[in-house]
Amino acid sequence: MPPGASDPEWGAVPAGSEASIAVHWPEEARLPPPVGLAATANVRDDGLRTRFRERGFPECFRECADLLTWMHPYAATFDDANPPFYRWFVGGSLNASANCLDRHLDLRGDRPAIWFVPEREAAAPIALTYRTLHARVNALAALLRESAGVRAGDRVTIHLPMTPELPITMLACARLGAVHSVVFGGFSGEACGRRIADSGSRVLITMDGYDRAGRRLDHRPNADTAIAVAAQAGRTVDHLLIWERDPGTYASAAPLRPGRDLLLNDVLPAFEGRAIAPVAMPSEAPLFLMYTSGTTGRPKGAQHGTGGYLAWAAATSRWVLDLRPEEVYWCLADIGWITGHSYIVYGPLSLGATTVLYEGVPAHPDPGRPWRIAERLGVRVFQTSPTAIRQLRQLGPDAPTASGHRFRVIATVGEPIEPATWRWYHDVVGKGEAAVVDTWWQTETGGILTSTLPAIDPMKPGSTGPPLPGIDPVILDDDGKEVPKGSGRAGHLVLRSPWPGLMQTVWGDPDRFVTTYFARFHRETENPTWRDWPYVAGDGAVLAEDGYLRILGRLDDVINVAGHRLGTKEIESACLSLPEVAEAAVVPVPDELRGKRPVVYVSLRRPSADPRATGERVTRAVETAIGRFARPKAVHIVPDMPKTRSGKIMRRVLAAISNGSDPGDVTTLSNPAVVEEIRRIVAAAGSEGS
Ligand code: WT7
C-alpha cells in the first residue's frame, strides 16, 4: 500500500498523525540469530528472562543495579509512595563519573575509553585511555568548582559538538553532582537560550568552532544569542566557558567578554593533576536533563535520575548491544540526543568498553568513510539510525563490501526501518554474519525497551522485537481496551509497569509529566500504586502474534525527522514570529531519506509581492528558532486555512493534501472551498511526498 493509504483496521491512529502515514509492509519471516554469537554473547540463554520472571517486579531490577559500583548500598529497590513519581534503589548513593572512570582504572586504565575520529580524514584518530579521560575530567571538575562555583544540584548547559570535550564536560558535571543539560550542537542559539532559561543554568559551556561536512563552523556566536535569549527570559548566565576545537587557537570572530568568558584551554593547565573526589549522590538525584519536543510549543526537560538511569543504560548496553570491556564499539549518533547519552557515553563507559566518537557527517568525504573507520579501529559493534543507513546505502551501496570490517552486532534506533533498508544493513553492512537489533525507546525511557536479544532471538525485519526483561507493553484502543496480539490492529503503545530508566519528571513542571504520559489511561483508586498509572509512549504500534512489536510512529503533534523529534507547535510558533504570517500549520510527510519531514502551510496578513522570498523567510525563521535540521520540506502560502466552524485549523485536511490521501468529509468546514484551492497550490508546487 502506498504511503498515506488509510487502513480501516488502524482504529486508534488519528488522521494526520505520523502513525497514520506509516508505510505499510507485510509481516516478514523471522531469521535465526547468527550462530557465531551463540557461545560468546553476554546473554546466551533464557536464564536472564527466567530470573526476571521469577523475581518479579520490582526485585528483578536489582540485577541492573548490580552492574554498578555503589558508595552506599540501597535499602529498597523501588518506592511508589507517590505514583507516578518513582524512586529507584532508594537509600543508595553513587557517582556516575566514578562508575564510568575510576572503577576501571586498575583493570584497564591504559586501554582506550574513547577513540576520537576527527571529520578531517587526514587527521589521525586520537585514543583517550581511561586514565587520560579520568585526569581530564578531574581537572575540569576542579575548574568548574573553583572558577565557576559549580556545586551539586546546579544545572549546567552544554552546547558542544561531537568532540571528546563533550563527554569530558558531562562527566565533570556528574563528578560534582551537577545536573548537565546538553543541547544538541545543531540547535540554534535561540533554542539553546530557551533551554538555559528553563533549566535555570548559570553556566554555559561551548566551543569556538568545529568541522561539519568539510567546513569549519563558527559555533561561538550561538552562545551570544543563547545568553541574550536567556536574559530576556530572566536568566543571567554568569559564566561562559569556551573550549577551543584546536587548543591554543581561538578561532571565532566573536570577542570574549572579560569577567564572564573563559577560554578553558588557557586556564586548564593550572588544574592539571588535581583529584576531585566524586560526590556521593543519592540514587534519585537528577543526573541530567534532556529537552525533547511534545504537543505544546515549549520543549520539556526530561529529568533522569542517577542510579535508575545508569543501571538501565548499563544493563541494556550489556544485553542488547552485547558490549563487553575492552571491545571497540561505535554509535554513529550525536551525544546531544538521548541515544548518545545512553549509548555513546554512559552505557559503554560504565561497562568499560571503548566508545568511538566521530565528529562529522557519516558520508564525508565519501560513503566509504564509516567502513574505513570501522576497519581501522576494529569496531565490532555498531549502531546508527535508519536515516544514516538509507543515506549510506544510496550513496555507496557497495562501499561496505570493499572494507575489511567485521561486525558482531549492528543496531538501529530512532525511526521505523523498512525491510529493504534492513536487508541491506544485514546483508551488506553486517556481511550476513552480524545480528541486527532494532531498538525502540525514547528520550523519556532512558534506554531501550523493546529489541531482540542478539544471540537468542530470531530477527524480524521491520519489527522492533519483543520487550526486554522487566518491560510490560500492551496495545490499547482509544477506550483503553486491550488490542489482542495478532489482530493486526494498531493502538496506543502503553507500558504497564515502570522500569529504572524511566524519567523522573518534567523539569520544573510535574503536572506536565503526569498529564503528558500518564493521565490518559490512569485509573482512580483509593490507594494508588504504580499499577494505576500506565505510561503512554505516544506511539502507535501493532503487536504481532509472536509478541514482536511494530512501531508506526507518533500519535501526537510530534514529527520524527531522521530520528530527531520536532514539535509541530514549535515550528508553527517559529513561523508566527514573522510579522507577515497570520496563521501557520505544520504536518508530517514521508521522506525517502529522513523518514518524515515537516511541511509548512502559512496564510499571510497581506498578499505577498514575492511569494518565493516569503517562503524563504519562513524557512529561515524555522532555522533560527530551532536549527537547520528542522528545515521544512516545503512552505505553502495559502489564502486561508481549512477551519471548523469554531475556527480550529484542520491539520488533518492539510496532511491529507500533502500526502495525496483522502481528506474525508470537508463539507462541515466553515470554508470548504479553500480545500480545492490549497490542493491546486500544492499540486503546482510539485509533489512533496516521496
Ligand atoms: C521516538 C522517540 C530512541 C532514541 C532516539 C529517539 C521513534 C525510536 C524507534 C524504532 C520505530 C522508533 C518513536 C519514539 N522511535 N526508536 N526502533 N522504531 N520508531 O528518541 O527523540 O525521544 O524519539 O522515536 O516514535 O516515540 P526520541
Side-chain angles (χ1 to χ4, degrees):
M1 241 182 284
S6 54
D7 187 326
E9 285 294 308
W10 291 17
V13 171
S17 71
E18 254 203 358
S20 74
I21 59 166
V23 181
H24 303 220
W25 53 72
E27 281 285 304
E28 295 272 328
R30 309 204 312 180
L31 285 77
V35 280
L37 282 175
T40 56
N42 293 329
V43 182
R44 285 173 227 182
D45 54 39
D46 247 10
L48 175 71
R49 285 194 175 119
T50 310
R51 284 195 303 280
F52 265 70
R53 246 192 326 272
E54 282 171 359
R55 286 177 194 161
F57 181 92
E59 298 310 321
C60 56
F61 291 111
R62 297 181 89 101
E63 182 154 345
C64 306
D66 284 350
L67 294 171
L68 305 180
T69 301
W70 295 82
M71 290 161 150
H72 191 274
Y74 57 90
T77 305
F78 175 72
D79 168 66
D80 69 342
N82 180 27
F85 301 89
Y86 306 119
R87 301 196 302 156
W88 285 94
F89 313 125
V90 188
S93 64
L94 76 168
N95 182 282
S97 102
N99 271 279
C100 290
L101 301 170
D102 305 49
R103 66 170 175 159
H104 302 309
L105 293 180
D106 283 346
L107 274 175
R108 54 188 74 91
D110 298 318
R111 305 275 311 180
I114 294 177
W115 267 115
F116 172 53
V117 183
E119 189 188 70
R120 230 162 35 83
E121 201 165 8
I126 298 164
L128 279 87
T129 64
Y130 271 97
R131 209 176 305 287
T132 308
L133 188 60
H134 178 262
R136 294 189 59 184
V137 167
N138 272 273
L140 181 65
L143 184 154
L144 289 178
R145 184 183 276 177
E146 286 158 34
S147 301
V150 174
R151 296 279 180 277
D154 290 355
R155 279 79 59 210
V156 173
T157 298
I158 304 174
H159 196 204
L160 288 174
M162 281 287 285
T163 63
E165 285 76 8
L166 176 46
I168 287 170
T169 308
M170 292 161 70
L171 292 168
C173 289
R175 197 160 190 88
L176 300 173
V179 181
H180 58 71
S181 170
V182 176
V183 176
F184 167 56
F187 268 117
S188 66
E190 268 185 29
C192 180
R194 284 194 296 274
R195 287 156 176 77
I196 291 173
D198 189 87
S199 65
S201 300
R202 292 183 305 104
V203 178
L204 171 63
I205 304 181
T206 190
M207 185 171 269
D208 56 348
Y210 60 100
D211 287 343
R212 188 122 193 115
R215 284 194 310 142
R216 176 60 57 98
L217 303 183
D218 189 357
H219 182 56
R220 162 62 213 282
N222 292 322
D224 294 313
T225 311
I227 290 172
V229 167
Q232 276 163 24
R235 167 56 50 180
T236 310
V237 170
D238 301 326
H239 298 277
L240 173 62
L241 310 181
I242 307 162
W243 289 103
E244 286 154 334
R245 171 63 184 77
D246 299 314
T249 55
Y250 179 67
S252 172
L256 300 184
R257 200 166 112 185
R260 186 195 67 188
D261 300 358
L262 211 59
L263 287 179
L264 286 170
N265 297 95
D266 280 1
V267 237
L268 266 171
F271 295 88
E272 250 165 51
R274 292 284 303 276
I276 294 289
V279 178
M281 298 302 291
S283 174
E284 66 267 23
L287 176 62
F288 66 84
L289 307 180
M290 169 59 62
Y291 281 85
T292 190
S293 299
T295 300
T296 71
R298 230 182 76 227
K300 43 184 186 256
Q303 177 185 317
H304 281 286
T306 308
Y309 167 81
L310 201 62
W312 193 246
T316 50
S317 298
R318 204 179 132 72
W319 301 337
V320 180
L321 303 174
D322 199 39
L323 298 195
R324 51 192 68 165
E326 297 168 29
E327 198 170 64
V328 186
Y329 154 73
W330 181 15
C331 171
L332 179 53
D334 198 291
I335 295 175
W337 305 104
I338 191 74
T339 303
H341 275 51
S342 300
Y343 300 117
I344 298 178
V345 181
Y346 285 113
L349 294 181
S350 64
L351 295 181
T354 296
T355 183
V356 177
L357 206 156
Y358 173 58
E359 177 179 31
V361 297
H364 182 84
D366 62 69
R369 183 74 190 280
W371 323 124
R372 289 197 293 280
I373 293 171
E375 179 173 13
R376 173 162 183 178
L377 300 181
V379 175
R380 299 305 318 278
V381 178
F382 179 75
Q383 150 147 250
T384 192
S385 67
T387 290
I389 303 170
R390 288 182 207 112
Q391 237 151 17
L392 291 166
R393 178 184 182 209
Q394 190 186 63
L395 298 170
D398 303 318
T401 313
S403 141
H405 72 266
R406 287 190 71 175
F407 294 141
R408 296 194 298 112
V409 176
I410 51 180
T412 159
V413 59
E415 346 145 38
I417 182 166
E418 57 284 359
T421 303
W422 192 100
R423 275 206 189 81
W424 182 77
Y425 199 37
H426 176 266
D427 297 351
V428 183
V429 174
K431 308 190 179 195
E433 60 185 13
V436 176
V437 286
D438 180 349
T439 64
W440 172 81
W441 56 296
Q442 312 176 293
T443 302
E444 293 87 340
T445 72
I448 301 166
L449 297 190
T450 73
S451 169
T452 51
L453 295 176
I456 61 177
D457 295 328
M459 305 176 271
K460 185 157 75 175
S463 161
T464 82
L468 292 186
I471 302 302
D472 186 16
V474 64
I475 308 290
L476 300 181
D477 67 16
D478 279 341
D479 303 323
K481 264 189 49 209
E482 182 166 346
V483 178
K485 66 178 182 184
S487 70
R489 277 191 297 134
H492 303 263
L493 175 49
V494 168
L495 297 142
R496 277 185 285 220
S497 52
W499 63 97
L502 174 62
M503 68 189 276
Q504 299 178 302
T505 185
V506 173
W507 176 260
D509 200 347
D511 291 345
R512 196 168 172 201
F513 177 62
V514 177
T515 49
T516 309
Y517 303 107
F518 299 95
R520 175 140 197 173
F521 298 116
H522 159 58
R523 196 175 54 190
E524 291 286 348
T525 51
E526 289 228 335
N527 291 308
T529 71
W530 59 268
R531 287 174 209 279
D532 306 308
W533 293 94
Y535 171 85
V536 185
D539 276 330
V542 185
L543 185 58
E545 188 62 50
D546 58 6
Y548 280 35
L549 276 159
R550 191 180 145 208
I551 311 294
L552 301 171
R554 304 287 314 185
L555 300 172
D556 51 10
D557 299 316
V558 167
I559 307 181
N560 188 334
V561 182
H564 305 153
R565 234 158 92 175
L566 289 172
T568 54
K569 295 286 184 298
E570 278 169 87
I571 304 175
E572 288 167 7
S573 75
C575 303
L576 290 168
S577 71
L578 292 175
E580 64 262 47
V581 172
E583 288 178 305
V586 171
V587 299
V589 296
D591 182 85
E592 212 175 82
L593 232 43
R594 299 187 214 187
K596 311 276 184 311
R597 281 185 73 184
V599 163
V600 173
Y601 287 84
V602 289
S603 66
L604 304 178
R605 295 189 193 282
R606 253 169 273 105
S608 167
D610 185 351
R612 233 186 113 97
T614 307
E616 273 162 25
R617 276 166 57 75
V618 170
T619 298
R620 228 165 316 130
V622 173
E623 291 183 352
T624 308
I626 303 171
R628 281 178 57 91
F629 66 96
R631 201 185 164 81
K633 189 164 186 172
V635 178
H636 298 301
I637 299 170
V638 296
D640 194 9
M641 297 288 175
K643 283 187 196 140
T644 61
R645 295 225 166 91
S646 58
K648 208 172 150 274
I649 299 178
M650 291 298 282
R651 287 180 181 73
R652 109 182 131 70
V653 172
L654 297 172
I657 294 173
S658 271
N659 292 297
S661 61
D662 179 9
D665 183 14
V666 295
T667 53
T668 57
L669 295 183
S670 70
N671 52 354
V674 83
V675 175
E676 207 31 59
E677 249 182 285
I678 296 174
R679 207 198 298 277
R680 268 200 303 275
I681 291 168
V682 173
S687 143
E688 59 207 22
S690 44

